[in-house]
Amino acid sequence: MTVRDSQRAKVYDAEQLVRGVFDRADEHNIRTVELYGSHLTLPIERRFASVESVQSYVDRVLELNWIRAQWVRAAVPVRVRPRAGTTAAHYETAEGVLAVPLYSGATAWALRELVILHELAHHLESDPAAAAPHGPEFCGRYLELVDGVVGPEAALLLRATMLGCGARLG
């Protein structure tokens, strides 16, 4: 039996909004944003040029001591491969494969840190059959990754946006 993924649209909506904030910050070279009356200085979100650079990043993230200490599945390697479609990245649980679309025209929307950390949050799930793919536990794991790897400001923005979109966090 599969667990219903009732939060998928809410999580994706929040991510799209957050990616837009980061895109505008990069485009206008303005790193400070206002969030509920507080000013946040956004960290730089890493972008990638190739499957090989994503693979190197994934390997380095999974080798971080705090990630290894927190999630048993961090010791399980992930293989990154290009994805033929351009609309979504995805994680293949059975094979431990992160499939990422490369370029669509002049854009490489998925070759960015927030997308890769999202997929790694799927990889780190200890019991994929028992958990909703984008449920509260996933959201909690994803936020911890963003907080520890990108920075607490990015995690705060993502957390507030997820809550604003109606996602429950674990």
Side-chain angles (χ1 to χ4, degrees):
M1 181 173 128
T2 339
V3 178
R4 189 167 180 270
D5 194 10
S6 61
Q7 292 200 144
R8 181 177 188 224
K10 295 171 184 175
V11 171
Y12 285 1
D13 287 348
E15 286 180 314
Q16 185 172 351
L17 290 168
V18 169
R19 285 194 309 264
V21 170
F22 273 90
D23 288 345
R24 283 187 299 284
D26 289 344
E27 182 180 326
H28 299 292
N29 201 24
I30 298 172
R31 308 263 18 121
T32 303
V33 298
E34 187 175 331
L35 179 68
Y36 297 113
S38 295
H39 289 83
L40 298 177
T41 301
L42 295 178
I44 302 294
E45 180 192 11
R46 292 170 185 91
R47 306 291 178 116
F48 306 101
S50 64
V51 167
E52 295 78 20
S53 60
V54 174
Q55 182 70 63
S56 175
Y57 174 81
V58 164
D59 294 344
R60 285 182 288 137
V61 168
L62 291 176
E63 289 171 2
L64 292 170
N65 290 337
W66 68 272
I67 289 179
R68 290 255 170 161
Q70 179 131 356
W71 295 290
V72 173
R73 288 202 34 93
V76 176
V78 170
R79 183 176 65 84
V80 179
R81 72 166 177 83
R83 182 170 194 260
T86 59
T87 58
H90 71 266
Y91 177 71
E92 300 164 3
T93 306
E95 298 83 21
V97 172
L98 192 163
V100 62
L102 300 178
Y103 288 85
S104 172
T107 64
W109 73 268
L111 294 175
R112 60 190 305 159
E113 196 166 24
L114 291 171
V115 171
I116 302 308
L117 291 175
H118 172 118
E119 300 310 326
L120 282 180
H122 287 302
H123 170 72
L124 295 172
E125 169 58 54
S126 60
D127 189 3
H134 297 93
E137 296 80 10
F138 166 83
C139 291
R141 218 173 20 260
Y142 181 31
L143 287 166
E144 284 186 61
L145 286 172
V146 171
D147 187 284
V149 178
V150 182
E153 299 84 359
L156 177 60
L157 176 62
L158 182 58
R159 180 179 291 109
T161 307
M162 283 179 161
L163 289 170
C165 288
R168 290 179 300 115
L169 311 179

